[in-house]
Amino acid sequence: MVDHARDEGGRRPHGDGRHAVVIGGSLAGLLAAHVLAGHADRVTVVERDRIPDGPEPRPGVPQSRHAHVLLESGQLALDSLLPGFTAELRAAGAPRVGMPEDIVAWSGGWIRRTAPTTHIHTGSRDQLEHLVRRRVLADPVIRTVESTEAVGLAGDALRVRGVLLRERGGTNGTGGGTSGHRQRTLAADLVVDASGRGSRAPRWLAALGAEPPQEETIDTGQAYASRVYRNAGGHLGTEALAYWFYPNPSQTYAGGVLPLEDGSHLVALAGLRGQEPPTDDAGFTAFAARLPHPLLHEWLRTAEPRTPAYGFRSTANLRRRYDRPGRRPAGFLATGDALCTFNPIYGQGMSVAAMSAVALRDALACPRRRPTTLRVQRALFDASRQAWDISAGADRAMPGAVGNAVASRAADGPVGWYLDRVQRRYGGDPSLVGPVFRSVLTLTTPLSALFAPRVARAVLFGPVVRPPAAPPMRAETAGC
């Protein structure tokens, strides 16, 4: 626990009744609870929804109907926290997509389908969260309080001592307001906010007389529409597992098709503010024709829709700077989207949630430094820093982006020029620039790797290998 003694293994000795409360039962909250179970006698996860028995969507996670990927960094983090987890995920049918071999991808040009240097899992968020929940909640130290929402913090500007709760209306946690339900206090030695991008913790801290965090935002107005299809032909017209079109400042439409664990495919389409994809049948299909190539549009015309199209518009990058000094109480931490949330187009959220739990574990177990609230919060901030630099950096350059973090800095010009050269080379370079760039994007290698001497020489002085002129419907064979 933050600010408390530990044994030689980094775990706090049990028996003194220490209690940790986690607000939010999604991925970030579940993994935080798992870590805290090694440092507290009791961990309570407060969830506003009814927790489903299986891999089902729930109202508090509307984004679960949209595309989710688990990057290599997230896989490594989950296996570190829950040994054998990715093998379990694979056994449950979650597709494993090798990049670049298994995906027909466009990013200002087609990307060569050479041997994979990294893999992503593209199964549904509902499936992944269900498997994590089953593992985490099997710990007897952890209990859940369902259909209940946090409405404030107990304590003062020096220390948080609990959370104010109110049972939600209705019996299934899906709505009905909170009328007629009394407020109660759940005492805690530590409160972790994992309530998501809509976190109200800044207001709660202000109500205690503490200082809320500064917030940084970059918003392109990007909106999504997603729909699940059954492939009538049994394939995508290629042995590839997926299609994907990435946006850039001159081509702002995005989308693609990803495989799901049940053999169906999730199609996602996206456009910026004023270019939002529609959710009616004809409009959704027609919107795909705006992508740089008719590949996906033609596939949609024969695929069989299995669900309606669902829209999603909460895509702003938002970072709350709890890591900065301020008049804030001990005993309170923020993690997951409550700390830092990204434009979903970059597929970072689930992986950063897992990496943040590893950062929490390591900060609490560090034998050299006492885990004060600020130190642990800074460790959580650092876990999300690279993902923010990628997502916010890309969105800052998109037309129409707004927010208090949009303004460019002096270093952005030369760095942007260099990274533009990187992107013009990686699609056609399978041996050096491509693998390093992908490892940075999947958060397994620091951004500084792109500036290593060997890579810099290739970027600055090496030739630009032309990417394929047409969609690479077949993977390249070894030696070609």
XYZ file of all heavy atoms in Angstrom, residues 326-388:
476
model
N 1.175 19.605 -6.229
C -0.015 20.407 -5.967
C -0.570 20.061 -4.600
O -0.109 19.120 -3.945
N -1.565 20.788 -4.200
C -2.189 20.555 -2.902
C -3.209 19.428 -3.062
O -4.399 19.652 -3.236
C -2.852 21.856 -2.414
C -3.281 21.824 -0.937
C -3.911 23.144 -0.519
N -5.183 23.384 -1.185
C -5.358 24.203 -2.221
N -4.313 24.858 -2.736
N -6.547 24.379 -2.768
N -2.681 18.204 -3.014
C -3.541 17.041 -3.193
C -3.332 16.070 -2.051
O -2.245 15.959 -1.511
C -3.238 16.348 -4.521
C -3.600 17.211 -5.707
C -3.613 16.466 -7.017
N -3.542 17.468 -8.066
C -2.416 17.855 -8.642
N -1.278 17.270 -8.308
N -2.423 18.789 -9.559
N -4.360 15.314 -1.744
C -4.289 14.431 -0.572
C -3.503 13.153 -0.847
O -3.455 12.651 -1.972
C -5.756 14.111 -0.290
C -6.433 14.251 -1.618
C -5.707 15.346 -2.341
N -2.890 12.628 0.203
C -2.331 11.284 0.146
C -3.487 10.289 0.083
O -4.625 10.591 0.439
C -1.473 11.026 1.373
N -3.171 9.083 -0.378
C -4.193 8.032 -0.388
C -5.123 8.070 -1.573
O -6.182 7.433 -1.551
N -4.752 8.803 -2.636
C -5.584 8.841 -3.842
C -4.689 8.722 -5.067
O -3.673 9.426 -5.198
C -6.386 10.141 -3.937
C -7.127 10.275 -5.246
C -8.364 9.677 -5.415
C -6.565 10.975 -6.309
C -9.024 9.774 -6.636
C -7.220 11.074 -7.526
C -8.458 10.474 -7.689
N -5.052 7.809 -5.985
C -4.334 7.618 -7.239
C -5.330 7.542 -8.387
O -6.490 7.152 -8.192
C -3.523 6.318 -7.213
C -2.402 6.186 -6.187
C -1.888 4.752 -6.152
C -1.271 7.157 -6.502
N -4.866 7.909 -9.562
C -5.675 7.755 -10.777
C -4.909 6.888 -11.758
O -3.681 6.989 -11.881
C -5.975 9.115 -11.397
N -5.630 6.035 -12.476
C -5.003 5.151 -13.455
C -5.941 4.950 -14.631
O -7.110 5.339 -14.609
C -4.624 3.799 -12.819
O -3.801 3.068 -13.726
C -5.869 2.986 -12.468
N -5.435 4.298 -15.673
C -6.252 4.041 -16.851
C -6.721 5.330 -17.503
O -6.037 6.355 -17.477
N -7.914 5.280 -18.089
C -8.449 6.445 -18.780
C -8.774 7.593 -17.836
O -8.923 8.731 -18.280
C -9.711 6.063 -19.555
C -9.392 5.321 -20.850
O -8.204 5.108 -21.135
O -10.337 4.948 -21.571
N -8.900 7.331 -16.541
C -9.111 8.419 -15.584
C -7.866 9.288 -15.468
O -7.945 10.443 -15.037
C -9.480 7.859 -14.213
N -6.721 8.748 -15.869
C -5.466 9.487 -15.857
C -5.124 10.009 -17.243
O -4.799 11.187 -17.408
C -4.341 8.585 -15.353
C -2.918 9.149 -15.422
C -2.786 10.386 -14.549
C -1.906 8.086 -15.018
N -5.201 9.138 -18.238
C -4.779 9.512 -19.584
C -5.559 8.673 -20.587
O -5.558 7.443 -20.504
C -3.280 9.289 -19.741
S -2.587 9.912 -21.276
N -6.225 9.345 -21.512
C -6.995 8.624 -22.515
C -6.591 9.104 -23.895
O -6.223 10.263 -24.085
C -8.507 8.814 -22.280
O -9.239 8.019 -23.200
C -8.933 10.260 -22.426
N -6.655 8.201 -24.861
C -6.106 8.444 -26.187
C -7.179 8.275 -27.254
O -8.168 7.580 -27.051
C -4.970 7.459 -26.491
C -4.079 7.180 -25.317
C -4.287 6.081 -24.500
C -3.044 8.044 -25.008
C -3.486 5.822 -23.406
C -2.226 7.800 -23.912
C -2.446 6.697 -23.108
N -6.937 8.884 -28.402
C -7.780 8.617 -29.555
C -7.721 7.116 -29.841
O -6.639 6.569 -30.050
C -7.273 9.418 -30.755
C -8.171 9.288 -31.969
O -8.937 8.334 -32.110
N -8.084 10.251 -32.859
N -8.866 6.424 -29.867
C -8.843 4.964 -30.019
C -8.268 4.469 -31.346
O -7.961 3.284 -31.458
C -10.327 4.583 -29.895
C -10.973 5.721 -29.180
C -10.226 6.946 -29.593
N -8.124 5.346 -32.340
C -7.620 4.904 -33.633
C -6.242 4.272 -33.517
O -5.844 3.442 -34.329
C -7.578 6.082 -34.632
C -7.363 5.591 -36.078
C -6.482 7.075 -34.279
C -8.522 4.881 -36.667
N -5.504 4.611 -32.455
C -4.138 4.110 -32.304
C -4.065 2.818 -31.490
O -2.978 2.264 -31.313
C -3.252 5.201 -31.694
C -3.312 6.475 -32.497
C -4.005 7.589 -32.017
C -2.738 6.543 -33.763
C -4.096 8.751 -32.781
C -2.831 7.708 -34.519
C -3.518 8.798 -34.029
O -3.623 9.947 -34.787
N -5.196 2.353 -30.971
C -5.258 1.034 -30.351
C -4.393 0.847 -29.124
O -3.872 -0.244 -28.878
N -4.250 1.894 -28.296
C -3.306 1.835 -27.181
C -3.940 1.572 -25.819
O -3.249 1.161 -24.886
C -2.555 3.165 -27.096
C -1.802 3.548 -28.349
C -1.420 5.013 -28.360
O -2.214 5.886 -27.999
N -0.200 5.306 -28.764
N -5.231 1.820 -25.670
C -5.847 1.906 -24.351
C -5.692 0.676 -23.485
O -5.294 0.767 -22.318
N -6.015 -0.513 -24.014
C -5.940 -1.719 -23.199
C -4.499 -2.032 -22.816
O -4.226 -2.472 -21.693
C -6.568 -2.899 -23.938
C -8.050 -2.753 -24.205
S -8.873 -4.317 -24.643
C -7.886 -4.878 -26.030
N -3.584 -1.811 -23.742
C -2.179 -2.099 -23.442
C -1.647 -1.162 -22.376
O -0.921 -1.590 -21.461
C -1.346 -1.987 -24.719
O -1.760 -2.957 -25.665
N -1.996 0.119 -22.450
C -1.541 1.072 -21.435
C -2.152 0.740 -20.080
O -1.497 0.889 -19.037
C -1.847 2.511 -21.860
C -1.545 3.494 -20.729
C -1.029 2.890 -23.092
N -3.393 0.266 -20.051
C -3.996 -0.148 -18.781
C -3.178 -1.254 -18.128
O -2.925 -1.233 -16.914
C -5.439 -0.607 -19.013
N -2.751 -2.229 -18.931
C -1.938 -3.319 -18.390
C -0.552 -2.834 -17.986
O -0.020 -3.212 -16.931
C -1.831 -4.440 -19.429
N 0.054 -1.975 -18.802
C 1.371 -1.438 -18.466
C 1.313 -0.588 -17.197
O 2.254 -0.575 -16.394
C 1.892 -0.600 -19.632
C 2.188 -1.422 -20.886
S 2.410 -0.386 -22.360
C 3.921 0.485 -21.913
N 0.202 0.113 -16.989
C 0.050 0.922 -15.781
C -0.038 0.053 -14.543
O 0.496 0.404 -13.485
C -1.202 1.806 -15.902
O -1.070 2.722 -16.980
N -0.697 -1.098 -14.665
C -0.759 -2.013 -13.521
C 0.629 -2.560 -13.188
O 0.975 -2.730 -12.012
C -1.731 -3.154 -13.817
N 1.439 -2.830 -14.202
C 2.819 -3.255 -13.952
C 3.586 -2.135 -13.260
O 4.359 -2.380 -12.316
C 3.505 -3.661 -15.267
C 5.002 -3.872 -15.050
C 2.879 -4.927 -15.831
N 3.381 -0.897 -13.717
C 4.052 0.251 -13.086
C 3.629 0.399 -11.627
O 4.451 0.698 -10.748
C 3.744 1.528 -13.860
N 2.339 0.183 -11.344
C 1.847 0.243 -9.965
C 2.505 -0.845 -9.122
O 2.978 -0.590 -8.006
C 0.325 0.082 -9.964
C -0.364 0.017 -8.603
C -0.191 1.323 -7.836
C -1.853 -0.318 -8.771
N 2.547 -2.048 -9.661
C 3.183 -3.159 -8.937
C 4.635 -2.856 -8.620
O 5.100 -3.031 -7.490
C 3.083 -4.425 -9.782
C 3.700 -5.657 -9.139
C 3.928 -6.753 -10.161
N 4.927 -6.375 -11.161
C 5.191 -7.073 -12.267
N 4.519 -8.194 -12.508
N 6.113 -6.665 -13.111
N 5.360 -2.381 -9.621
C 6.786 -2.149 -9.437
C 7.054 -0.984 -8.492
O 8.010 -1.023 -7.707
C 7.449 -1.902 -10.792
C 7.430 -3.139 -11.682
O 7.112 -4.236 -11.171
O 7.723 -3.003 -12.885
N 6.222 0.053 -8.546
C 6.411 1.203 -7.653
C 6.149 0.817 -6.207
O 6.866 1.250 -5.289
C 5.496 2.349 -8.070
N 5.133 -0.008 -5.983
C 4.825 -0.429 -4.612
C 5.869 -1.389 -4.063
O 6.087 -1.447 -2.853
C 3.442 -1.082 -4.565
C 2.243 -0.178 -4.836
C 0.952 -0.991 -4.802
C 2.172 0.966 -3.821
N 6.527 -2.136 -4.956
C 7.487 -3.144 -4.510
C 8.923 -2.647 -4.518
O 9.815 -3.394 -4.098
C 7.374 -4.379 -5.404
N 9.164 -1.435 -4.994
C 10.539 -0.943 -5.116
C 11.214 -0.907 -3.747
O 10.738 -0.227 -2.826
C 10.552 0.451 -5.732
S 12.209 1.144 -5.891
N 12.337 -1.612 -3.562
C 12.991 -1.659 -2.245
C 13.814 -0.413 -1.932
O 14.234 -0.227 -0.793
C 13.891 -2.895 -2.348
C 14.241 -2.970 -3.804
C 13.023 -2.477 -4.550
N 14.037 0.430 -2.940
C 14.933 1.573 -2.745
C 14.217 2.865 -2.395
O 14.827 3.778 -1.846
C 15.771 1.801 -4.007
C 16.678 0.630 -4.357
C 17.529 0.929 -5.579
N 16.702 1.268 -6.732
C 16.155 0.376 -7.540
N 16.314 -0.918 -7.307
N 15.439 0.756 -8.575
N 12.916 2.955 -2.741
C 12.222 4.222 -2.541
C 10.869 3.988 -1.879
O 10.121 3.086 -2.269
C 12.013 4.954 -3.869
C 13.289 5.141 -4.674
C 13.054 5.988 -5.896
N 12.857 7.386 -5.546
C 12.561 8.333 -6.430
N 12.380 8.015 -7.697
N 12.416 9.586 -6.049
N 10.581 4.794 -0.884
C 9.284 4.694 -0.205
C 8.178 5.101 -1.183
O 8.263 6.148 -1.822
C 9.291 5.636 1.001
C 8.039 5.575 1.864
C 8.303 6.290 3.178
N 7.121 6.359 4.007
C 6.374 7.436 4.147
N 6.700 8.546 3.499
N 5.325 7.429 4.927
N 7.146 4.282 -1.323
C 6.132 4.555 -2.340
C 5.111 5.607 -1.889
O 3.967 5.291 -1.557
C 5.472 3.190 -2.539
C 5.593 2.530 -1.207
C 6.909 2.988 -0.635
N 5.529 6.859 -1.882
C 4.591 7.928 -1.569
C 3.551 8.038 -2.676
O 3.745 7.561 -3.804
C 5.317 9.268 -1.423
O 5.875 9.624 -2.703
C 6.424 9.194 -0.377
N 2.446 8.700 -2.365
C 1.386 8.860 -3.359
C 1.914 9.517 -4.619
O 1.631 9.066 -5.740
C 0.225 9.688 -2.765
O -0.312 8.992 -1.634
C -0.874 9.894 -3.784
N 2.687 10.594 -4.485
C 3.184 11.305 -5.653
C 4.135 10.437 -6.466
O 4.081 10.436 -7.703
C 3.861 12.609 -5.240
C 4.383 13.489 -6.388
C 3.250 13.849 -7.353
C 5.047 14.755 -5.844
N 5.007 9.687 -5.817
C 5.933 8.840 -6.555
C 5.202 7.752 -7.341
O 5.533 7.458 -8.491
C 6.944 8.208 -5.595
C 8.061 9.155 -5.181
C 9.001 8.511 -4.195
N 10.083 9.430 -3.836
C 10.867 9.276 -2.793
N 10.697 8.226 -1.998
N 11.825 10.148 -2.544
N 4.211 7.151 -6.713
C 3.456 6.110 -7.410
C 2.663 6.721 -8.558
O 2.598 6.157 -9.660
C 2.537 5.359 -6.433
C 1.676 4.355 -7.187
C 3.362 4.646 -5.371
N 2.084 7.904 -8.327
C 1.324 8.549 -9.391
C 2.224 8.903 -10.572
O 1.826 8.788 -11.737
C 0.636 9.810 -8.866
C -0.344 10.426 -9.857
C -1.520 9.530 -10.157
O -2.433 9.377 -9.361
N -1.516 8.906 -11.326
N 3.430 9.292 -10.296
C 4.368 9.606 -11.380
C 4.753 8.348 -12.151
O 4.966 8.394 -13.370
C 5.609 10.299 -10.823
C 5.336 11.759 -10.461
C 6.526 12.424 -9.802
N 6.304 13.865 -9.668
C 7.056 14.679 -8.928
N 8.095 14.188 -8.246
N 6.782 15.961 -8.879
N 4.842 7.224 -11.466
C 5.118 5.966 -12.161
C 3.973 5.606 -13.104
O 4.192 5.140 -14.228
C 5.355 4.844 -11.151
N 2.745 5.831 -12.669
C 1.587 5.592 -13.521
C 1.590 6.537 -14.712
O 1.264 6.145 -15.844
C 0.303 5.752 -12.710
C 0.065 4.686 -11.641
C -1.059 5.102 -10.709
C -0.251 3.338 -12.288
N 1.953 7.794 -14.476
C 2.046 8.761 -15.566
C 3.089 8.309 -16.593
O 2.846 8.349 -17.805
C 2.409 10.135 -15.002
C 2.712 11.164 -16.046
C 1.686 11.865 -16.675
C 4.023 11.430 -16.425
C 1.966 12.805 -17.645
C 4.309 12.378 -17.401
C 3.273 13.064 -18.010
N 4.248 7.873 -16.119
C 5.309 7.453 -17.024
C 4.882 6.267 -17.886
O 5.315 6.129 -19.041
C 6.572 7.091 -16.235
C 7.276 8.318 -15.673
O 6.993 9.447 -16.142
O 8.096 8.162 -14.738
N 4.041 5.400 -17.350
C 3.586 4.233 -18.107
C 2.757 4.632 -19.321
O 2.658 3.869 -20.288
C 2.789 3.301 -17.205
N 2.142 5.803 -19.276
C 1.283 6.253 -20.381
C 1.953 7.297 -21.265
O 1.374 7.714 -22.262
C -0.018 6.840 -19.821
O 0.237 8.010 -19.049
N 3.166 7.693 -20.922
C 3.783 8.837 -21.606
C 4.010 8.588 -23.100
O 3.689 9.435 -23.940
C 5.113 9.182 -20.934
C 5.759 10.445 -21.497
C 7.218 10.540 -21.054
N 7.344 10.663 -19.615
C 7.394 11.823 -18.962
N 7.303 12.956 -19.638
N 7.547 11.842 -17.660
N 4.587 7.439 -23.454
C 4.888 7.208 -24.869
C 3.622 7.108 -25.701
O 3.568 7.632 -26.825
C 5.735 5.949 -25.037
C 6.093 5.667 -26.496
C 7.213 4.669 -26.635
O 8.216 4.735 -25.922
N 7.078 3.721 -27.553
N 2.603 6.444 -25.169
C 1.350 6.347 -25.903
C 0.769 7.738 -26.146
O 0.242 8.032 -27.228
C 0.361 5.478 -25.136
N 0.854 8.610 -25.150
C 0.384 9.984 -25.321
C 1.203 10.703 -26.391
O 0.643 11.389 -27.260
C 0.463 10.742 -24.000
C 0.197 12.218 -24.155
C 1.111 13.197 -24.390
C -1.078 12.872 -24.101
N 0.497 14.423 -24.482
C -0.847 14.253 -24.307
C -2.378 12.420 -23.891
C -1.883 15.196 -24.314
C -3.414 13.366 -23.900
C -3.169 14.715 -24.112
